[in-house]
Amino acid sequence: MELIADFAMNYGLFLAKAVTVVIALALAVGWILSLIGQARAERDGDRLSITHVNDRLDRMAETLNATLLNDSERKARAKRKKVEDKQQRKAEKLGKRHEPARLFVLDFDGDIRASAVESLRDEITAVMQVAEAGDEVLVRLESAGGMVHSYGLAASQLARLRDAGVRLTICVDRLAASGGYMMACVGERIVAAPFSIIGSIGVVAQIPNFHRLLKDKQIDFEMHTAGDYKRTLTVFGENTEEGRAKFREELEDTHGLFKHFVSRYRPNLDIDRVATGEHWYGSQALTLALVDEVATSDDVMLTAARDGRDVFTVAMKHNSGFLARIAEQSRLAISRSLSESGLAKVVHRAQ
């Protein structure tokens, strides 16, 4: 028995030491990785990514031509290209080359909180510092809307471009509803794909109430406020008709502000006709003057490149760790799921 006891004691001590060593190593590794992550973040930080779309289009065309054209056609095309390049260099040397206006392309993929506004504001600030007369910004917008104050800020960021005299075009390939349309209407030109969803100019709020359940379980809930309308409707308390009336009044006020905002940027729109909360497809939205053209963002960019304009995509890249990226993707997935199911409408939404 003594041998067994000694063995058990020694084994326990060994196990404790082993666990201590493992924990110490794990902490050391974690500390080192943390330092490396901080160093990378300090070194790299957020960065602005610029892509010259014309080069990408040229590479695509060259790849196709390499397969489709025969030898003589390829030689003739190469000869023409050589002459064009020579003429261009000569014009540049003489200072006679006319530089067409540039097109800067930004992307906005909106969730309920319009989180993409953090990147959008930096991208717009960057473009405004280099934009010249005639330059244009194209925003490829996709959003089902969300919180009023969040999308109000996003729309205000776009308004900065217009206020600075930079031409703004909004392209909607799939969806710009509610707060998404609040942003879209700021554009001087709205281009929508034929079956994109446009509109939903309205406001909705939903809130569950568990008062009867708590009362049935004999659970008291207390809430104390200073101010008659500090809280109109609650989740756990007993709601009153007065509170409901005030809540509906607030929704109407928000809807009025939404309508006024849209009318400001699209004065020819019959706002009472379209501000019913309904949505329409792109081709239908054109007849209602909600959009100005039916096409895709690809059409707009390709046309600009064919007209000799330089087309650049501008995107703010945030350098975050693997776990942070996983968390962000999970947040976006949950946000979109709630938006589609309607569960997210417990707060005021411009929808």
Side-chain angles (χ1 to χ4, degrees), residues 168-203:
L168 174 63
T169 295
I170 305 294
C171 279
V172 183
D173 288 326
R174 287 182 287 192
L175 174 66
S178 182
Y181 189 77
M182 178 188 289
M183 293 179 64
C185 74
V186 179
E188 295 177 59
R189 178 173 63 138
I190 304 177
V191 181
F195 287 93
S196 60
I197 295 176
I198 306 293
S200 191
I201 303 173
V203 182

Side-chain angles (χ1 to χ4, degrees), residues 133-255:
D135 285 345
E136 179 182 0
V137 171
L138 166 66
V139 177
R140 294 184 291 194
L141 172 66
E142 180 178 353
S143 175
M147 297 179 179
V148 174
H149 58 281
S150 298
Y151 275 89
L153 175 60
S156 297
Q157 293 297 326
L158 295 179
R160 293 172 59 202
L161 290 166
R162 289 198 59 170
D163 293 343
V166 180
R167 189 182 181 201
L168 174 63
T169 295
I170 305 294
C171 279
V172 183
D173 288 326
R174 287 182 287 192
L175 174 66
S178 182
Y181 189 77
M182 178 188 289
M183 293 179 64
C185 74
V186 179
E188 295 177 59
R189 178 173 63 138
I190 304 177
V191 181
F195 287 93
S196 60
I197 295 176
I198 306 293
S200 191
I201 303 173
V203 182
V204 63
Q206 296 179 159
I207 182 170
N209 183 264
F210 298 95
H211 173 70
R212 287 187 294 177
L213 176 62
L214 296 179
K215 186 177 181 180
D216 181 61
K217 300 298 182 181
Q218 297 184 343
I219 299 174
D220 294 328
F221 173 79
E222 294 187 11
M223 179 175 64
H224 304 277
T225 63
D228 293 340
Y229 298 113
K230 178 61 178 177
R231 196 65 82 232
T232 52
L233 298 183
T234 73
V235 176
F236 300 109
E238 182 176 6
N239 291 319
T240 65
E241 287 302 321
E242 182 183 10
R244 294 187 182 97
K246 181 61 177 178
F247 193 72
R248 286 191 289 267
E249 180 185 333
E250 292 172 350
L251 291 183
E252 290 295 334
D253 289 343
T254 305
H255 190 210

Side-chain angles (χ1 to χ4, degrees), residues 109-155:
D109 188 358
D111 58 11
I112 290 173
R113 298 188 302 162
S115 303
V117 73
E118 297 305 321
S119 296
L120 181 68
R121 69 201 313 172
D122 290 333
E123 293 159 3
I124 289 175
T125 298
V127 170
M128 288 178 64
Q129 294 182 81
V130 301
E132 299 175 353
D135 285 345
E136 179 182 0
V137 171
L138 166 66
V139 177
R140 294 184 291 194
L141 172 66
E142 180 178 353
S143 175
M147 297 179 179
V148 174
H149 58 281
S150 298
Y151 275 89
L153 175 60

